[in-house]
Amino acid sequence: MHSFKATSKFNEKSEFQEAMMEAIDDTYGSGIVVAPCASGKSAVIIESLMAAGTLGLILCYESQGVYQMKEALEENTTIRPSQIYTYSGSKRDKLPETDAHICYLITTYGMVAKSKARRNAESLRVGDFVRKTRWNLACCDEFHHAGAETYMPLVKDLVKISDRVLGFTATLYRSDDSCKAKNLDLETEAKAFSKWFGPVIYRTTCKQLEDAGLIAKIRRSVVECDFTPEFQTAYDKANGYQKTYLAALNPTKLNVLKAICHFHKHCYNHVGIVFANHLIVAEVARECLGNRWVVLSGGSAHGSTEKQKHNPDENNRIVQRFNNGELDGMICTAVGESSMDAHLKNFCFVCVLEADAGIASAGQRIGR
């Protein structure tokens, strides 16, 4: 039986982590744990996997989550590195055969879900391995994505073959028409997740963690920025994505962004994260903020001017530089919303340059 190392930080548990583990131990079958970012879900996932047996699967939404989960397993547990497998981005370990006795696999939904995209022979074999292995426990991180049309069949297959499947998320809703703010109730939640997967077995809120002093109290503000006359004229004549880009790149907004970031850095030595929905917007923001700001993105998007193609390895290095205090900040597209651990002490502010990505996205961004 594997366990946490004596030196692991995960040996110290908050009351909320203990409550999550109690809920998992006291229930059976598939279930969902809903807890805010920074509540310690990663430690709970790892402890649950070790307690369940020697065949464990972790599904992440982004490659960044895969990297971080692997590091957490290697640094904090007695599981041998040779027993930990990853399959994501440029890091693709050769998996054991289907009769494996010890295997902790970390991958993304997208890497193993069935799709219309053409897959090479190894990818097909990994997908078969995931679906044919009787996992002692399969953990679905960022579970709110599991309801996507392309991912739901995979998760349903796992429920059939695994001893147990657990979902973990801070935001149990999806940014679609069924989950607008007015529809965020238990009935909508049950329709979206519980009826096909399982019930919520544990739930806590940001307010409860704030009151316990376990996460920072967040102050939210909206800064309204008028168009410059030229951008107002262009916006009135534009259509589609032209309007989106003009609204995001309004010079007044960019000047305010620069002023906020400058204030935090030079008055308090704070570092921060700026979120943008589109890569071209992120690149313009970086030009405004300077060379100590770096773009974290999922790849080359339409309209990109960057020569460098981002990949999971490069993104992992960027996050490490941020946490080492080598940057003033990161400008993140959607790849930075989920499963990104930013634990630098003087990381104290987030700016959302494009605030129209949906309620689930908003919750994940604030959670950083």
Side-chain angles (χ1 to χ4, degrees):
M1 181 71 71
H2 295 294
S3 62
F4 287 129
K5 294 176 181 177
T7 56
S8 171
K9 61 183 179 181
F10 292 158
N11 286 311
E12 294 186 18
K13 302 175 189 172
S14 70
E15 60 182 289
F16 297 94
Q17 288 173 303
E18 291 179 346
M20 287 183 230
M21 285 304 305
E22 287 177 6
I24 291 170
D25 292 340
D26 292 344
T27 56
Y28 301 91
S30 301
I32 306 169
V33 173
V34 182
C37 302
S39 60
K41 293 191 295 297
S42 295
V44 172
I45 289 173
I46 294 172
E47 185 174 357
S48 300
L49 283 173
M50 294 189 296
T54 58
L55 291 175
L57 172 69
I58 302 177
L59 289 178
C60 303
Y61 181 60
E62 297 281 4
S63 294
Q64 184 63 36
V66 175
Y67 278 79
Q68 291 176 170
M69 276 294 186
K70 181 180 181 181
E71 289 179 356
L73 283 168
E74 291 181 343
E75 292 176 3
N76 295 280
T77 75
T78 58
I79 301 172
R80 296 176 182 175
S82 61
Q83 297 168 339
I84 302 171
Y85 300 84
T86 57
Y87 195 78
S88 175
S90 59
K91 179 60 175 173
R92 303 184 181 186
D93 297 326
K94 184 171 178 57
L95 302 186
E97 300 302 322
T98 53
D99 59 350
H101 298 291
I102 302 177
C103 175
Y104 294 89
L105 172 60
I106 315 167
T107 185
T108 64
Y109 296 94
M111 292 297 292
V112 293
K114 292 181 179 178
S115 70
K116 296 180 180 178
R118 296 182 64 179
R119 304 272 193 180
N120 60 34
E122 181 62 15
S123 292
L124 292 173
R125 191 181 87 80
V126 173
D128 287 341
F129 178 85
V130 168
R131 289 180 174 80
K132 292 179 180 178
T133 299
R134 185 171 182 82
W135 302 103
N136 299 133
L137 178 63
C139 293
C140 301
D141 199 15
E142 307 296 347
F143 183 74
H144 53 285
H145 293 293
E149 183 179 345
T150 51
Y151 300 157
M152 189 186 295
L154 167 65
V155 179
K156 285 184 174 180
D157 286 345
L158 289 173
V159 171
K160 294 176 183 177
I161 65 167
S162 304
D163 294 339
R164 191 177 192 186
V165 182
L166 294 173
F168 295 82
T169 184
T171 53
L172 192 58
Y173 39 78
R174 290 179 50 74
S175 293
D176 56 25
D177 291 338
S178 66
C179 288
K180 300 299 184 184
K182 63 180 180 180
N183 293 329
L184 294 182
D185 53 35
L186 295 180
E187 183 178 351
T188 303
E189 181 182 283
K191 182 179 178 181
F193 297 100
S194 301
K195 287 186 177 180
W196 66 269
F197 180 78
V200 173
I201 60 173
Y202 178 83
R203 188 194 306 268
T204 190
T205 65
C206 285
K207 180 66 165 58
Q208 290 172 305
L209 267 73
E210 286 180 0
D211 291 344
L214 295 176
I215 63 173
K217 292 187 177 182
I218 301 171
R219 291 179 294 173
R220 301 168 178 84
S221 299
V222 176
V223 181
E224 296 185 357
C225 303
D226 293 332
F227 276 120
T228 63
E230 297 82 1
F231 267 65
Q232 182 67 68
T233 300
Y235 185 84
D236 292 339
K237 295 181 178 179
N239 294 297
Y241 273 112
Q242 290 178 332
K243 283 185 175 290
T244 301
Y245 291 140
L246 287 166
L249 298 174
N250 171 23
T252 306
K253 181 185 288 189
L254 293 174
N255 284 334
V256 169
L257 172 69
K258 186 171 182 178
I260 291 172
C261 295
H262 182 88
F263 170 80
H264 276 279
K265 174 62 181 177
H266 293 279
C267 293
Y268 299 104
N269 197 33
H270 290 167
V271 300
I273 291 178
V274 172
F275 281 106
N277 300 339
H278 301 89
L279 185 51
I280 192 170
V281 176
E283 292 172 2
V284 173
R286 184 182 64 81
E287 291 293 325
C288 294
L289 295 175
N291 292 331
R292 285 183 57 85
W293 285 77
V294 178
V295 174
L296 185 81
S297 73
S300 180
H302 177 71
S304 169
T305 60
E306 279 202 343
K307 295 180 180 179
Q308 181 179 351
K309 310 297 183 184
H310 281 212
N311 56 55
D313 289 324
E314 176 61 22
N315 284 340
N316 194 49
R317 284 191 288 270
I318 290 172
V319 174
Q320 288 177 345
R321 289 180 63 198
F322 180 84
N323 285 324
N324 290 338
E326 299 172 17
L327 302 171
D328 288 346
M330 295 185 292
I331 304 160
C332 301
T333 60
V335 74
E337 292 177 6
S338 302
S339 304
M340 182 181 68
D341 290 336
H343 49 71
L344 186 63
K345 186 176 181 180
N346 58 331
F347 166 40
C348 296
F349 72 98
V350 168
C351 293
V352 179
L353 196 54
E354 297 178 275
D356 55 353
I359 190 167
S361 176
Q364 292 292 326
R365 289 172 171 183
I366 291 298
R368 297 309 109 210

